[in-house]
Amino acid sequence: MLIPVLDNAKHYWIGDDEVEKLLRHGEGWLAAHPHREEIARRYLRYRGRLTREALQRLVSEEEPELDDKEDSKGAEEEAVERRLSLNEARLGSVVAALRGLGAKRVVDLGCGEGKLIAVLMKDPSFEEIVGLDVSYRLLEIATERLHLDRLAPRQRERVKLLHGSLTYRDKRIQGFDAAAVVEVIEHFDHARLATFERLLLELARPGGVVITTPNREYNGRFEHLPAGALRHRDHRFEWTRQEFEAWAADVAQHFSYAVRFLPVGPLDAEVGSPTQMAVFTR
């Protein structure tokens, strides 16, 4: 399979059956490969329709099933949290934390439809804004919603969207002032979370990191969430405040960061806030 990728040449007809062949031979590794887009594009001889189809089908290996009208990370959580306007509070808290870090160059890991990026773009103190997501389709949605093709050249240079995995090393996200990881870690199983920790805090090594995740203790306060249920069907876990703080403190110590914790959303005397946030600094 890699011969036509490496020599960038194909000597026979490229059709829909080549998509099937690419997916068959790439099963188990291509979906998470950091250069899967380039591999697919070259294998399929730069046929745009076939490349898009292959990438969309590859994404399904690494993502939960998506409704065409839903954001993979946010839609179900927003339905639960809507009455509290928690999404707006979460984004505002993250932006405030990034400002507090003095960050000028920010990378949003797991950027989805670009909701955080849209807020960051309104603040000229953020000079470079990069979003990275595994979903090619969500990046297309983000491009449209952020109107990137209609921005003035100077504004357009501030923003870049990257297609890539959070569990493979990616030199494009190294050296930023700060990274935002908003409602992402709960989508990882234990092994992938451990890989992500190292890739982010040891290899990418931003000056600061802002991480948010649901507070499981608060779930009973949501009227429409069944008892014992998680906020999204793809969540692998939802931590209590104690569990989250223990994890973050351990990770910070291991990778030589300091960490502090902030509540996000309305505070309840018994169960805390609906979202918990950790701010890591070097």
Side-chain angles (χ1 to χ4, degrees):
M1 190 203 88
L2 290 176
I3 291 175
V5 175
L6 295 173
D7 69 11
N8 202 28
K10 292 277 276 187
H11 304 288
Y12 52 90
W13 172 255
I14 302 297
D16 291 339
D17 58 333
E18 289 300 308
V19 174
E20 299 299 330
K21 188 183 297 184
L22 174 68
L23 296 177
R24 185 170 66 252
H25 290 295
E27 184 177 358
W29 64 272
L30 185 55
H33 197 285
H35 301 297
R36 66 182 179 188
E37 185 176 350
E38 180 68 13
I39 291 171
R41 185 165 55 242
R42 293 180 68 169
Y43 182 87
L44 296 167
R45 292 293 294 152
Y46 304 94
R47 304 296 200 275
R49 179 185 68 81
L50 296 179
T51 301
R52 286 192 296 273
E53 178 184 345
L55 289 171
Q56 288 169 1
R57 291 176 62 181
L58 280 169
V59 162
S60 67
E61 294 186 21
E62 188 149 313
E63 292 186 310
E65 291 185 7
L66 302 176
D67 184 284
D68 287 341
K69 298 181 180 179
E70 291 185 348
D71 180 305
S72 65
K73 290 193 289 129
E76 292 184 11
E77 288 148 298
E78 287 180 15
V80 171
E81 302 166 351
R82 189 174 296 120
R83 289 183 62 187
L84 299 177
S85 299
L86 183 54
N87 185 57
E88 288 80 4
R90 184 160 47 225
L91 295 180
S93 296
V94 171
V95 172
L98 292 170
R99 289 193 190 109
L101 292 171
K104 296 183 180 300
R105 301 177 62 245
V106 175
V107 58
D108 180 10
L109 300 177
C111 65
E113 296 179 355
K115 294 175 183 177
L116 175 61
I117 293 174
V119 181
L120 294 173
M121 287 173 64
K122 297 176 183 178
D123 187 335
S125 68
F126 298 110
E127 297 174 359
E128 182 180 357
I129 305 165
V130 173
L132 179 122
D133 203 278
V134 72
S135 171
Y136 190 79
R137 180 161 66 83
L138 289 179
L139 291 175
E140 290 182 325
I141 294 172
T143 298
E144 294 177 4
R145 291 191 171 185
L146 297 172
H147 307 296
L148 296 185
D149 58 337
R150 286 178 264 171
L151 293 177
R154 180 174 295 182
Q155 288 295 322
R156 182 65 185 87
E157 290 174 2
R158 290 176 65 210
V159 184
K160 182 183 296 184
L161 299 180
L162 304 176
H163 186 223
S165 170
L166 298 181
T167 54
Y168 276 79
R169 184 175 187 178
D170 192 333
K171 293 183 178 180
R172 298 174 299 175
I173 63 171
Q174 292 180 358
F176 280 80
D177 298 333
V181 186
V182 181
E183 308 298 282
V184 169
I185 63 171
E186 62 272 10
H187 292 264
F188 289 127
D189 58 29
H190 179 75
R192 288 191 177 188
L193 179 59
T195 298
F196 174 66
E197 293 165 11
R198 180 172 180 268
L199 292 175
L200 174 61
L201 298 172
E202 180 181 334
L203 301 179
R205 198 71 181 160
V209 180
V210 180
I211 295 179
T212 74
T213 193
N215 170 17
R216 190 179 77 210
E217 296 169 84
Y218 201 95
N219 286 357
R221 299 295 191 264
F222 293 115
E223 180 180 347
H224 301 294
L225 189 66
L230 302 182
R231 298 186 203 175
H232 191 288
R233 66 185 180 276
D234 185 57
H235 285 184
R236 302 303 193 260
F237 61 85
E238 287 177 3
W239 278 330
T240 66
R241 288 168 292 172
Q242 183 177 1
E243 289 169 334
F244 177 57
E245 291 179 11
W247 168 81
D250 181 64
V251 167
Q253 181 179 23
H254 184 76
F255 294 106
S256 301
Y257 279 79
V259 64
R260 59 190 176 93
F261 303 96
L262 298 169
V264 178
L267 271 173
D268 184 288
E270 294 183 5
V271 298
S273 62
T275 295
Q276 42 198 341
M277 181 165 70
V279 181
F280 296 80
T281 52
R282 282 201 281 132

